[in-house]
C-alpha cells in the first residue's frame, strides 16, 4: 500500500513482481484484493496525467493548445483538463493509475511509522552493543532487523540474501564478530602516523558503517575525514581477517592488489609488483600510501 501513497501506473505489473514472494501470491491478486477492499482506487484524471506524462510533455500539450506553460505538473494538468477534458480522457483511456484511498493511506502510513521506529531502535541498540564491546550482539541485532524486513539487504556483512531465500534467518555472526573486534582493537600504522586514530568515536563510526553499510547510521556528527578514516579502519580489519583465513588454509604467498586506476600512488604500485611470503605481507592500508583519500589496496592469495 505504501507504494500507492503516490499514484502508480499499473498497466505493466512487471516492476511490482518483486512483491510476489513477500506477499505470497501474484501481485495482480493482491492489487485486485486491495481494489475490492477499496484500499486503493483508480486515480482521478489529474493524477493520471501527471503520472503518465512528464513535465516537457505536458508543456508541449499546453503549447499546442495555446495555453500558458507556467506552474508545476499538477497545475499544468489541471489547465489542460479545464480546456480539453474530452481530449485528456481520450489520452488516458488505455492507462490504469492507482492510488491509495483515505483508508489505504492511513494503513500505509501507520506501517511506515512502525518500520521507521523499528529501524531507529535497531540502530540505537546496535550502537549500544558496540560501545559495550558486545560485537556478536551488535551483529545479531542487525541480522534480526534484516531478517524481519520485507526486502532485506543483499551482500554487505558476511552473508547474502536473495528474493527467494532470506539467508539472514540463518545468519552466523562469527566472521563479523571477528572483524568488529579488529576494528575496535587494532590500528594500522598509517592512521597512527597521522594521528587520525585519535578522532572521537572513530571506531563507533567504523563499526556502524560496517554493520549497516552507511556511516551516517552512527548517531554521531562526522565529516568527510572521519568517514574516510573509519573506512580505513574497516579496510584494516578485513585485511587482518583475510590474513587469518589464508594462514588457516595453508597459503604461503600473498599479493597486494590495487584499484589499478589513474590515482593509485607510486608506493602502492611498487608494492603490487611482487608476491610476498605470508609472514612478510606489508600491512594494509599501506603505511607509505600517498593517496589523499587513503589507501585502497587489498590482499589476495597466490595459488601455486
Amino acid at each position: 500500500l505504501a507504494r500507492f501513497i503516490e499514484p502508480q501506473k499499473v498497466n505493466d505489473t512487471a516492476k511490482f513482481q518483486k512483491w510476489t514472494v513477500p506477499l505470497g501470491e501474484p501481485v495482480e491478486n493482491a492489487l485486485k484484493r486491495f481494489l475490492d477492499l477499496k484500499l486503493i482506487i483508480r486515480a482521478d484524471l489529474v493524477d493520471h496525467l501527471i503520472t503518465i506524462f512528464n513535465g516537457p510533455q505536458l508543456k508541449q500539450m499546453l503549447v499546442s493548445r495555446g495555453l500558458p506553460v507556467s506552474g508545476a505538473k499538477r497545475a499544468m494538468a489541471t489547465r489542460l483538463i479545464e480546456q480539453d477534458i474530452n481530449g485528456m480522457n481520450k489520452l488516458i483511456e488505455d492507462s490504469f493509475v492507482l492510488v491509495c484511498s483515505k483508508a489505504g493511506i492511513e494503513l500505509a502510513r501507520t506501517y511506515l511509522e512502525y518500520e521507521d521506529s523499528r529501524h531507529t531502535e535497531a540502530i540505537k541498540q546496535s550502537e549500544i552493543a558496540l560501545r559495550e564491546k558486545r560485537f556478536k550482539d551488535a551483529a545479531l541485532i542487525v541480522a534480526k532487523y534484516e531478517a524481519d524486513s520485507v526486502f532485506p539487504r543483499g551482500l554487505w556483512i558476511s552473508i547474502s540474501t536473495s528474493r527467494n531465500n532470506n539467508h539472514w534467518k540463518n545468519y552466523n555472526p562469527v566472521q563479523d564478530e571477528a572483524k568488529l573486534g579488529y576494528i575496535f582493537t587494532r590500528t594500522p600504522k598509517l592512521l597512527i602516523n597521522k594521528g587520525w586514530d585519535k578522532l572521537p568515536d572513530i571506531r563507533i563510526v567504523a563499526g556502524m558503517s560496517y554493520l549497516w553499510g552507511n556511516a551516517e547510521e552512527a548517531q554521531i556528527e562526522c565529516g568527510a575525514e572521519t568517514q574516510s578514516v573509519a573506512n580505513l579502519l574497516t579496510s584494516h580489519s578485513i585485511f587482518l581477517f583475510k590474513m587469518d583465513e589464508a594462514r588457516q588454509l595453508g597459503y604461503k604467498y600473498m599479493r597486494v592488489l590495487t584499484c589499478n586506476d589513474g590515482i593509485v600512488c607510486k608506493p602502492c604500485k611498487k608494492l603490487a609488483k611482487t608476491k610476498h611470503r605470508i609472514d612478510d605481507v606489508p600491512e594494509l592500508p599501506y603505511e607509505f600510501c600517498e593517496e589523499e583519500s587513503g589507501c585502497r589496496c587489498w590482499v589476495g592469495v597466490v595459488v601455486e
Side-chain angles (χ1 to χ4, degrees):
L1 284 176
R3 289 292 302 272
F4 292 92
I5 290 177
E6 297 296 329
Q8 293 282 342
K9 184 179 178 181
V10 294
N11 290 59
D12 179 8
T13 57
K15 66 179 179 179
F16 297 103
Q17 290 310 311
K18 67 177 183 178
W19 286 92
T20 299
V21 171
L23 288 172
E25 63 181 338
V27 69
E28 293 83 0
N29 292 2
L31 290 176
K32 183 180 184 303
R33 186 170 66 259
F34 291 154
L35 282 164
D36 291 342
L37 293 170
K38 293 183 170 49
L39 296 176
I40 54 177
I41 57 178
R42 191 161 192 243
D44 61 22
L45 184 51
V46 171
D47 278 340
H48 267 79
L49 290 176
I50 65 176
T51 302
I52 296 167
F53 300 106
N54 58 33
Q57 289 171 325
L58 291 173
K59 286 183 178 180
Q60 184 58 44
M61 286 190 276
L62 288 166
V63 169
S64 69
R65 290 167 173 78
L67 298 172
V69 297
S70 59
K73 287 178 67 177
R74 185 168 292 276
M76 290 191 286
T78 300
R79 199 174 301 133
L80 285 166
I81 293 169
E82 290 173 348
Q83 197 272 345
D84 185 12
I85 188 169
N86 291 332
M88 294 304 103
N89 276 316
K90 181 75 172 175
L91 279 176
I92 64 98
E93 64 183 2
D94 293 327
S95 298
F96 201 56
V97 175
L98 297 178
V99 67
C100 275
S101 63
K102 183 178 179 180
I105 288 176
E106 290 178 359
L107 279 175
R109 287 182 174 164
T110 297
Y111 166 75
L112 292 176
E113 289 172 4
Y114 162 75
E115 280 297 301
D116 184 61
S117 64
R118 190 173 73 89
H119 181 255
T120 299
E121 184 63 16
I123 292 289
K124 175 184 174 181
Q125 293 303 322
S126 63
E127 183 171 322
I128 290 173
L130 288 181
R131 290 186 181 280
E132 296 175 354
K133 306 297 189 295
R134 294 184 289 110
F135 305 129
K136 180 179 178 180
D137 289 345
L140 288 172
I141 288 166
V142 177
K144 184 180 187 311
Y145 170 81
E146 297 293 350
D148 293 341
S149 297
V150 176
F151 296 113
R153 281 183 298 161
L155 282 175
W156 186 256
I157 57 179
S158 307
I159 63 104
S160 64
T161 63
S162 69
R163 188 178 303 167
N164 298 313
N165 189 10
N166 185 349
H167 297 291
W168 290 97
K169 295 183 184 298
N170 302 310
Y171 169 69
N172 186 332
V174 172
Q175 290 189 25
D176 295 311
E177 182 181 11
K179 291 174 186 176
L180 288 168
Y182 280 139
I183 287 174
F184 279 78
T185 60
R186 303 288 285 273
T187 307
K189 295 175 184 176
L190 175 66
L191 298 188
I192 295 174
N193 293 343
K194 296 185 178 183
W196 284 344
D197 60 315
K198 305 301 182 186
L199 289 174
D201 285 323
I202 186 61
R203 298 185 193 275
I204 295 294
V205 174
M208 291 294 283
S209 180
Y210 175 74
L211 285 172
W212 292 97
N214 189 342
E216 294 178 1
E217 299 292 12
Q219 306 300 297
I220 300 166
E221 290 287 337
C222 60
E225 182 184 51
T226 300
Q227 292 188 29
S228 177
V229 175
N231 290 339
L232 292 176
L233 274 175
T234 301
S235 176
H236 185 56
S237 165
I238 294 171
F239 162 75
L240 293 172
F241 184 83
K242 192 165 185 66
M243 292 299 296
D244 288 344
E245 279 191 322
R247 289 189 181 95
Q248 291 172 9
L249 293 171
Y251 287 105
K252 297 180 179 180
Y253 294 93
M254 306 290 284
R255 187 178 296 278
V256 173
L257 305 169
T258 72
C259 291
N260 197 30
D261 56 24
I263 61 174
V264 176
C265 68
K266 288 183 179 179
C268 288
K269 284 182 180 178
K270 183 178 179 180
L271 192 66
K273 287 183 177 179
T274 183
K275 65 181 182 181
H276 306 270
R277 287 187 176 277
I278 196 163
D279 292 329
D280 299 324
V281 176
E283 177 187 85
L284 297 181
Y286 189 37
E287 179 181 3
F288 302 106
C289 176
E290 296 174 352
E291 287 190 42
E292 290 186 8
S293 59
C295 182
R296 298 175 298 148
C297 294
W298 72 99
V299 68
V301 298
V302 175
V303 179
E304 295 186 326

